[in-house]
Amino acid sequence: MAQRRRGHGRCFAVHLVRVLVFVLLAAFVFAGPDLKAQTKPFETKAKQAFLVEASTGTVLFAKNEDDLIPPASLAKLMTAEVIFHEIAEGRLSLDQEFPVTEYAWRTGGALSRTSTMFAALKSNIKVSDLLQGMIVQSANDGAIILAEGISGSEDAFAEKMTARARELGLTKSVFANSNGLPNPKNQVTMRELVFLARHIFFTYPEFFKYYSQPDFEWNKIFQRNRNPLLALKIGVDGMKTGYTEESGYAIVATINRDGKRLFLAMSGLASSKERAEESQRVLEWGLANFERRIVFKANEKIADASVFGGDQSTVPVVARDEVDIYLPVNNPDRIRAKVVYRWPLRAPVDKDQDIGQLLIFVGDRQVRDVKVFSDAGVGTGTLRSRAFDGLKELLFFWL
């Protein structure tokens, strides 16, 4: 029995070492003034919200941003991204035409009593017109026609949407159709919708114009863009609205003013009026209450990472580009940063080797992450130095 307990103890110890080897993170911390908030925290009526600054990705506001909710027409952002990607890869052209099937006509056309571009049954429509119908008019028939034209069916296209989302790094969102019509499998988060919106803006500037297009006429029917913020002339130039009975009124919007661009996703609002008012209020707050600050210059030393088995015991860590964030104007919260990497680094280490990430926090909230790299090379050490490093590692874990 005693022998069995000793054997169990050895197994537990080995398992503990393995866990530590895989999860241990080395950290470097710096801080600004540690002040208490002087104003009441900002709040919104939305049940879920996520606001970021475009160029840095700094998180300005977050509320239940990782909750999974039905996307409604916000799913068309993912549909559009797939179309844009197909065009960019040369597999599709704006002049290509797709037929209007009976399924598309009945499910997303006039008979559906949902948002539609009134595509005529058995007609053929150019991709450029279908995109404008889907984006400007939020046309469900336009989305279905595109989906069927590319993948043969909505189900096959929905699989393509989810697969493309994973390629982009959207790990939680799932798409069951091209238009966002009710389906329990349709699920998105505000965080991932903002990521998707930023990706579309920076990757496909030639197509972003559709999101600010004020109106579109198709089949002799004139319809205005469904984004209520465009007409306010406050700097909003995209992107999409949505509504479901389950999750309420939602919006993804971007604003550009005075050299600042913000991206916002919100859901869970009670009415279209509240959606318009609340999204404008949050965007205005973001523009007025944050300012840019440089945290590290390009190639400035951020920290030293430990190296085992090398001719040097550490290697300097840098970011290739300038690291900046947006901070509250009154800066009420402590700023912290840490470099995280798989410890210890094993020699040899090449110069400009991908080391890990720099995580930046304002208060307790992570607002940005940046890749960091080694600023020097580290060669393999002598047999004696490697043995000594191995002993240090063993003692570190066991003590």
Side-chain angles (χ1 to χ4, degrees):
M1 181 65 71
Q3 183 178 1
R4 182 180 300 175
R5 282 198 297 269
R6 286 195 295 272
H8 177 73
R10 284 195 297 270
C11 290
F12 175 77
V14 170
H15 176 69
L16 178 62
V17 170
R18 286 175 179 168
V19 170
L20 287 170
V21 168
F22 278 95
V23 306
L24 188 62
L25 302 175
F28 167 74
V29 180
F30 76 98
D34 192 5
L35 303 176
K36 294 182 178 179
Q38 299 172 356
T39 58
K40 184 178 180 181
F42 182 77
E43 192 47 90
T44 175
K45 296 177 183 178
K47 293 180 180 178
Q48 298 88 19
F50 197 59
L51 177 70
V52 305
E53 191 278 326
S55 63
T56 64
T58 301
V59 179
L60 307 185
F61 181 80
K63 178 181 179 181
N64 301 323
E65 68 276 17
D66 294 316
D67 285 358
L68 284 166
I69 65 163
S73 281
L74 299 182
K76 295 185 177 86
L77 289 172
M78 192 70 242
T79 301
E81 198 286 332
V82 172
I83 305 299
F84 299 156
H85 181 64
E86 291 291 306
I87 295 171
E89 293 293 306
R91 293 187 289 266
L92 184 66
S93 73
L94 290 172
D95 291 330
Q96 193 168 339
E97 295 185 351
F98 290 139
V100 181
T101 66
E102 184 170 351
Y103 173 78
W105 180 69
R106 289 187 178 278
T107 306
L111 294 178
S112 69
R113 296 185 178 182
T114 62
S115 53
T116 178
M117 63 185 291
F118 299 95
L121 179 62
K122 297 182 179 179
S123 65
N124 291 288
I125 305 177
K126 288 183 178 181
V127 169
S128 59
D129 291 326
L130 291 169
L131 275 172
Q132 289 177 85
M134 180 182 70
I135 293 172
V136 179
Q137 300 170 343
S138 195
N140 291 321
D141 50 356
I144 297 171
I145 296 163
L146 286 165
E148 291 181 323
I150 289 174
S151 298
S153 71
E154 266 236 278
D155 288 343
F157 186 80
E159 292 179 4
K160 191 179 187 74
M161 291 170 69
T162 301
R164 178 62 180 160
R166 297 296 177 270
E167 288 178 14
L168 295 176
L170 280 62
T171 61
K172 299 182 71 173
S173 297
V174 177
F175 301 92
N177 54 41
S178 64
N179 44 62
L181 289 172
N183 186 307
K185 294 181 180 179
N186 274 329
Q187 298 283 292
V188 297
T189 72
M190 296 301 100
R191 183 194 298 273
E192 293 191 350
L193 284 176
V194 164
F195 179 93
L196 178 60
R198 286 182 68 218
H199 164 76
I200 290 173
F201 175 78
F202 286 112
T203 309
Y204 311 108
E206 69 275 27
F207 297 126
F208 184 77
K209 62 183 180 182
Y210 292 140
Y211 291 100
S212 58
Q213 187 172 319
D215 50 62
F216 181 59
E217 183 174 348
W218 174 254
N219 203 19
K220 297 183 180 180
I221 298 174
F222 176 87
Q223 296 187 73
R224 297 190 181 279
N225 194 307
R226 291 173 178 264
N227 186 342
L229 301 183
L230 290 178
L232 299 180
K233 306 298 182 183
I234 59 174
V236 171
D237 52 7
M239 295 192 54
K240 197 73 192 70
T241 59
Y243 167 75
T244 64
E245 289 186 6
E246 180 179 348
S247 59
Y249 289 82
I251 189 170
V252 173
T254 179
I255 190 169
N256 183 31
R257 192 197 300 167
D258 300 329
K260 293 181 184 178
R261 178 175 288 278
L262 310 183
F263 280 87
L264 169 68
M266 303 175 71
S267 185
L269 293 155
S271 67
S272 58
K273 180 175 182 292
E274 184 174 82
R275 174 177 61 192
E277 293 175 348
E278 195 68 0
S279 56
Q280 181 181 359
R281 187 177 73 88
V282 174
L283 288 169
E284 294 285 359
W285 171 81
L287 289 172
N289 287 277
F290 291 84
E291 61 185 3
R292 180 174 176 266
R293 177 178 295 185
I294 297 173
V295 181
F296 293 104
K297 297 178 181 178
N299 298 311
E300 178 184 353
K301 178 180 171 181
I302 298 171
D304 286 310
S306 297
V307 180
F308 274 31
D311 54 13
Q312 300 290 329
S313 60
T314 63
V315 63
V317 174
V318 301
R320 286 176 174 166
D321 301 314
E322 189 174 74
V323 179
D324 54 356
I325 61 173
Y326 275 75
L327 293 173
V329 173
N330 59 358
N331 192 24
D333 294 314
R334 189 169 184 249
I335 309 164
R336 297 184 296 115
K338 63 181 180 181
V339 172
V340 297
Y341 63 98
R342 186 64 55 79
W343 185 94
L345 295 176
R346 301 286 182 179
V349 176
D350 296 327
K351 189 179 187 318
D352 294 324
Q353 181 173 316
D354 187 341
I355 296 296
Q357 287 185 308
L358 169 69
L359 306 183
I360 302 175
F361 299 80
V362 175
D364 295 327
R365 187 179 76 246
Q366 181 184 326
V367 298
R368 193 169 182 207
D369 61 273
V370 181
K371 280 190 175 183
V372 290
F373 303 85
S374 57
D375 196 37
V378 178
T380 303
T382 64
L383 180 61
R384 181 177 180 180
S385 67
R386 281 182 283 150
F388 183 66
D389 281 348
L391 178 61
K392 284 195 299 182
E393 182 181 358
L394 181 63
L395 290 174
F396 177 85
F397 282 119
W398 280 97
L399 296 178

